[in-house]
């Protein structure tokens, strides 16, 4: 009920994005039903029917990707302060987002079923003649379990993906720099901080290990001072030194093993102070009762690295192009694209999606190279900050554009006529990827609203912000445009032969 109320009370832009999800779900559901109709019409060709069903994975993945992007950009299901007190915590809002996505996708599946039944003539009594009549299973009864299973595939996959993406996550704290470990050659792992040359053998570098035996030596000195104070032949100076050592031993035994009192320095038996040059920990502040007070606040969150997946993306892209080349060489000239071509295209898309954030981050770095001005610096910083939002949609759009170029090259080389189902699939995939990119751009714009308002309050002219946006778009086009052409050319070579 809450999901229905939020859906009805959403703004116009949110409703349009949900309508896009419903339209994509309708197109994908119609293609799945056409694959079922082809299997019923041609029972002697299970391989061709299975291949049609396998190619439906592309619009299915694009629809799920669009549904996740729309759910992330929905302002009505974002966590807000105070909502947890009334039972609307992050987990409940995640469930609301998944339910809303399932409702939108289910609406599209119902529309696909109605359109399929209309073309079959079950609603009007007159079937439609044309190129799609061979996949409508005219004159045959549709199996209800198969229809329900295929139509429920899109809502179930979309809602599961939204729940997995928007699940509550605890922030990952940064590693503490207070406790230091000295990683020597051959030791397991590295220290918390990299040591300079000779730091392990520097004088006073291993005082932490020596301080671990402080309680034992302190208790021994305490017993020795007690016996010295009990003897009658001790002088006044010896009694004073014994009492001082007893008080020092008591304070040493009160502290935990391996540490030292706050603000106190270690000393050797001769009384010389021992300092450690590499110890950068500030002395702990204390309250009025002597207890230590922690002023560090919440643990800092580790910043996300956007370039670590770039080599993996390039490797997966290369593997996808190799698989597509091998599948194109082994296929016959008149046969339809095989499952190997689909697998290669899927690997290439995954590789570009993995490499997209890293390439966007590098675009931001290139904009700030060679003595940047205020405009280039602003554009580059924004690209580096938003690389995880717009990088992956850009990579997916690059892959779809490469596939479209390869399909156009194949059409020009073999004069192949694409049927209406292929056109529907291409429209669904291209529309979902472009809509996902635009949704990610809108989400990134809303995320930097505070920064934009701060710049405007400081006196930055709006033309500067628009020029920075144009510069970011030009830099992304300059990097991803040639990459799209190169990948498209490499993907179309084995198909055109």
């Amino acid at each position: 009920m809450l999901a229905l109320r939020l859906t009805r009370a959403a703004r116009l832009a949110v409703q349009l994005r949900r309508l896009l999800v419903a339209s994509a779900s309708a197109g994908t559901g119609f293609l799945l039903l056409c694959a079922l109709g082809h299997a019923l019409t041609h029972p002697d060709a299970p391989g061709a029917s299975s291949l049609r069903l396998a190619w439906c994975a592309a619009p299915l993945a694009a629809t799920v990707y669009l549904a996740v992007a729309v759910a992330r950009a929905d302002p009505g299901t974002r966590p807000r302060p105070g909502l947890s007190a009334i039972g609307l915590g992050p987990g409940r809002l995640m469930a609301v987002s998944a339910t809303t996505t399932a409702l939108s996708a289910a609406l599209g599946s119902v529309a696909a079923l109605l359109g399929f039944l209309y073309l079959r003539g079950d609603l009007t009594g007159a079937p439609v003649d044309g190129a799609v009549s061979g996949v409508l299973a005219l004159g045959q009864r549709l199996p209800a379990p198969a229809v329900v299973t295929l139509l429920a595939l899109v809502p179930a996959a979309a809602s599961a993906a939204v729940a997995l993406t928007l699940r509550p996550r605890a922030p990952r704290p940064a590693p503490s720099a207070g406790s230091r470990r000295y990683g020597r050659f051959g030791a397991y792992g590295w220290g918390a901080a990299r040591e300079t040359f000779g730091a392990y053998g520097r004088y006073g570098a291993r005082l932490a290990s020596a301080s671990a035996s402080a309680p034992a030596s302190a208790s021994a000195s305490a017993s020795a001072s007690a016996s010295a104070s009990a003897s009658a032949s001790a002088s006044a100076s010896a009694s004073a030194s014994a009492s001082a050592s007893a008080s020092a031993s008591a304070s040493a035994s009160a502290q935990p093993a391996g540490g030292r009192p706050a603000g106190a320095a270690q000393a050797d038996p001769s009384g010389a102070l021992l300092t450690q040059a590499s110890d950068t920990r500030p002395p702990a502040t204390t309250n009025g009762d002597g207890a230590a007070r922690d002023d560090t606040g919440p643990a800092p969150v580790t910043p996300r690295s956007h370039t670590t997946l770039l080599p993996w993306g390039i490797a997966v892209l290369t593997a996808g192009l190799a698989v597509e080349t091998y599948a194109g060489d082994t296929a016959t000239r008149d046969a339809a694209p095989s499952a190997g071509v689909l697998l290669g295209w899927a690997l290439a898309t995954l590789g570009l999606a993995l490499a997209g954030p890293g390439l966007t981050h590098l675009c931001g770095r290139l904009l700030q190279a060679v003595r940047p001005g205020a405009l280039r610096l602003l554009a580059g910083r924004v690209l580096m900050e938003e690389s995880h939002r717009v990088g992956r949609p850009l990579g997916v759009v690059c892959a779809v554009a490469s596939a479209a170029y390869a399909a156009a090259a194949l059409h020009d080389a073999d004069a192949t006529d694409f049927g209406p189902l292929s056109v529907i699939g291409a429209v669904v995939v291209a529309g979902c990827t472009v809509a996902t990119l635009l949704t990610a751009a809108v989400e990134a714009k809303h995320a930097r609203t505070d920064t934009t308002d701060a710049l405007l309050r400081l006196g930055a002219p709006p033309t500067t912000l628009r020029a920075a946006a144009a510069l970011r778009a030009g830099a992304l086009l300059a990097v991803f445009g040639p990459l799209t052409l190169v990948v498209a050319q490499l993907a179309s070579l084995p198909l055109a032969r």
Side-chain angles (χ1 to χ4, degrees):
M1 186 61 65
L2 179 60
L4 289 175
R5 290 183 178 181
L6 290 177
T7 302
R8 186 181 60 181
R11 295 180 300 179
L12 180 60
V14 178
Q15 298 287 7
L16 289 178
R17 288 196 290 264
R18 290 172 181 170
L19 184 60
L20 287 177
V21 174
S23 302
S25 177
T28 305
F30 181 78
L31 292 176
L32 290 172
L33 291 178
C34 288
L36 175 62
H38 185 274
L40 293 176
T41 308
H42 305 84
D44 55 342
S49 302
S50 301
L51 184 59
R52 284 175 175 268
L53 185 62
W55 273 100
C56 292
L60 175 62
T63 303
V64 171
Y65 195 46
L66 175 62
V68 171
V70 170
R72 290 187 57 177
D74 190 358
T77 56
R78 292 177 183 174
R80 293 183 179 88
L83 290 182
S84 298
I86 59 175
L88 292 178
R92 182 71 180 276
L93 291 178
M94 178 268 296
V96 170
S97 298
T99 306
T100 305
T101 303
L103 290 176
S104 302
L107 179 62
S109 297
V110 171
L113 178 61
L114 293 178
F116 188 77
L117 294 178
Y118 176 79
L119 293 178
R120 280 172 48 91
D122 295 338
L123 300 180
T124 60
V128 177
D129 296 332
V132 296
S133 59
V135 295
L136 296 178
L138 299 177
Q140 300 185 21
R141 184 177 181 180
L142 295 176
V147 172
V148 173
T149 301
L150 291 177
L151 291 180
L153 186 60
V154 179
S159 59
V162 168
L164 183 62
T165 304
L166 301 182
R167 69 185 186 276
R169 296 185 181 92
R172 183 176 55 184
S176 176
S179 58
R180 302 196 61 180
R181 295 178 297 162
Y182 300 94
R184 61 186 181 279
F185 178 77
Y188 180 77
W190 291 92
R194 294 296 180 90
E195 302 290 345
T196 57
F197 179 78
Y200 181 75
R202 189 180 298 125
Y203 176 75
R206 292 187 297 275
L207 289 178
S209 60
S211 63
S213 59
S217 61
S219 60
S221 61
S223 59
S225 61
S227 62
S229 61
S231 61
S233 59
S235 59
S237 59
S239 304
S241 62
S243 61
S245 61
S247 61
S249 64
S251 63
S253 60
Q255 66 180 358
R260 62 174 184 266
Q266 295 183 355
D268 59 358
S270 61
L273 292 177
L274 299 180
T275 59
Q276 186 173 348
S278 59
D279 192 3
T280 59
R281 298 176 60 185
T285 58
T286 57
N287 296 323
D289 54 355
R293 185 176 73 246
D294 188 11
D295 292 337
T296 57
V301 180
T302 304
R304 184 185 304 179
S305 179
H306 308 302
T307 58
T308 54
L309 294 179
L310 182 57
W312 293 99
I314 295 175
V316 175
L317 173 61
T318 306
L321 292 177
V323 170
E324 190 173 353
T325 301
Y326 177 76
D329 291 338
T330 56
T332 59
R333 189 174 183 85
D334 297 331
S338 61
V341 176
L342 175 62
L343 178 60
W345 184 75
L347 288 177
T349 305
L350 178 60
L352 288 174
L354 292 177
L359 293 176
T360 308
H361 194 272
L362 291 181
C363 286
R365 284 188 175 274
L366 290 177
L367 280 179
Q368 302 174 73
V370 192
R371 301 177 63 181
L375 184 61
R376 289 170 52 197
L377 188 63
L378 177 60
R381 290 290 182 178
V382 171
L383 271 184
M384 291 174 62
E385 184 67 25
E386 296 176 354
S387 58
H388 66 283
R389 285 192 178 95
V390 299
R392 289 183 180 179
L394 271 175
V396 175
V397 169
C398 178
V400 172
S402 302
Y405 181 87
L410 180 62
H411 179 269
D412 294 339
D414 297 341
T416 305
D417 188 15
F418 296 106
L421 298 181
S422 300
V423 174
I424 292 176
V427 169
V428 169
V429 173
C432 287
T433 52
V434 174
T436 303
L437 179 59
L438 295 178
T439 304
V442 171
E443 181 186 3
K445 181 181 179 181
H446 290 167
R448 63 172 186 271
T449 303
D450 297 338
T451 304
T452 304
D453 294 341
L455 290 175
L456 293 176
R457 286 194 303 267
L458 289 175
T463 55
T464 302
L465 301 180
R466 289 193 291 267
L471 186 59
R472 291 195 302 270
L476 291 176
L477 185 61
V479 172
F480 283 91
L483 177 62
T484 302
L485 294 179
V486 170
V487 174
Q489 190 67 28
L490 292 177
S492 62
L493 285 178
L495 299 178
R497 286 184 297 181

